[in-house]
Amino acid sequence: MDDADALFKALADPTRRALLDALSERDGQTLFELCARMATAHGLTSSRQAISQHLDVLETAGLVTRRREGRYTFHDLDTAPLAPLRERWHHPDERTPR
Amino acid sequence: MRITLTSVLVDDQAKALDFYTQVLGFEKKHDVPMGDSAWITVVSPQARDGVELVLEPDQHPAARPFKEALVADGIPFTAFTVDDVEAEHTRLAAAGVVFTQPPTRMGPVTTAVFDDTCGNLIQIQSPVSE
């Protein structure tokens, strides 16, 4: 699976997109906080284990990084993998030199 | 049958008594020597006849792995109600308390999560005032 496959796979799930929405509000969230946000703000009732597995997929795609700080683990959003998508396809008009 | 006691597993009872009284603001209610440890409870000054929190030693071999696993995932096993989570966050953070989650709206409540320095994460919560 190349990088683009991992990225599109990661984005092709509503719970994973909701996790990215939650992380776009604030970096440094614990698994507990993300689960609470999924249940309250997004109306999703996935188990903690399911949320953790979704985070694994997002981490593989480079969209989420896990940061260990002492005994805690925090999750941060990384939007860098999205940038190549914006550059990959342009409408033909945009390519025509003026 | 009534619920009058609840417990928190602490790694050091003396340190816990300091934190729960000096920092959080609870009051010691019982301190009964029990061999190697003591039976220590604290209460809220807002409810001295209310539920007592037992500062229970976490000496059982299963206790610490259990606590560490909860902390690693950011899970508060114990929660307290406060009038205003934002104000408590400001007060406790100024006192050096480490928060793993700042005040955040979670449906009908605002919650925050802090480290009790005794191996536990604690949630404080207050109803959202519209």
Side-chain angles (χ1 to χ4, degrees), chain B residues 34-66:
Chain B
M34 303 272 284
D36 290 345
S37 57
W39 191 73
I40 303 176
T41 73
V42 298
V43 291
S44 166
Q46 295 170 277
R48 291 192 175 90
D49 295 323
V51 174
E52 296 175 51
L53 180 68
V54 182
L55 305 179
E56 182 78 24
D58 67 1
Q59 298 310 307
H60 190 283
R64 292 201 180 185
F66 166 71

Side-chain angles (χ1 to χ4, degrees), chain A residues 16 31 48-58 66:
Chain A
R16 290 198 284 273
L31 178 60
R48 181 174 290 118
Q49 188 182 12
I51 298 291
S52 184
Q53 286 167 352
H54 282 307
L55 288 166
D56 289 343
V57 176
L58 290 167
R66 282 189 169 96

Side-chain angles (χ1 to χ4, degrees), chain B residues 15-97:
Chain B
K15 182 179 67 175
L17 186 58
D18 275 351
F19 182 84
Y20 280 79
T21 57
Q22 307 294 321
V23 180
L24 295 188
F26 293 139
E27 295 176 353
K28 183 169 76 176
K29 182 149 183 177
H30 291 108
D31 189 352
V32 183
M34 303 272 284
D36 290 345
S37 57
W39 191 73
I40 303 176
T41 73
V42 298
V43 291
S44 166
Q46 295 170 277
R48 291 192 175 90
D49 295 323
V51 174
E52 296 175 51
L53 180 68
V54 182
L55 305 179
E56 182 78 24
D58 67 1
Q59 298 310 307
H60 190 283
R64 292 201 180 185
F66 166 71
K67 291 170 67 181
E68 285 164 8
L70 292 180
V71 170
D73 283 340
I75 299 170
F77 190 72
T78 300
F80 301 133
T81 298
V82 298
D83 293 332
D84 181 343
V85 166
E86 295 279 355
E88 284 293 337
H89 173 258
T90 302
R91 178 179 78 88
L92 294 173
V97 174

Side-chain angles (χ1 to χ4, degrees), chain A residues 26 28-34 36-37 40-41 48 68 71-74, chain B residues 71-76 98 100-102 104 106-107 113 115 119 121 123:
Chain A
R26 178 167 39 75
Q29 296 183 44
T30 62
L31 178 60
F32 169 79
E33 177 173 355
L34 287 167
R37 284 174 180 267
T40 57
R48 181 174 290 118
R68 289 296 301 267
R71 300 180 304 125
Y72 326 122
T73 303
F74 297 108
Chain B
V71 170
D73 283 340
I75 299 170
V98 173
T100 60
Q101 182 206 299
T104 305
M106 295 292 181
V113 180
D115 189 320
L121 296 178
Q123 176 167 291

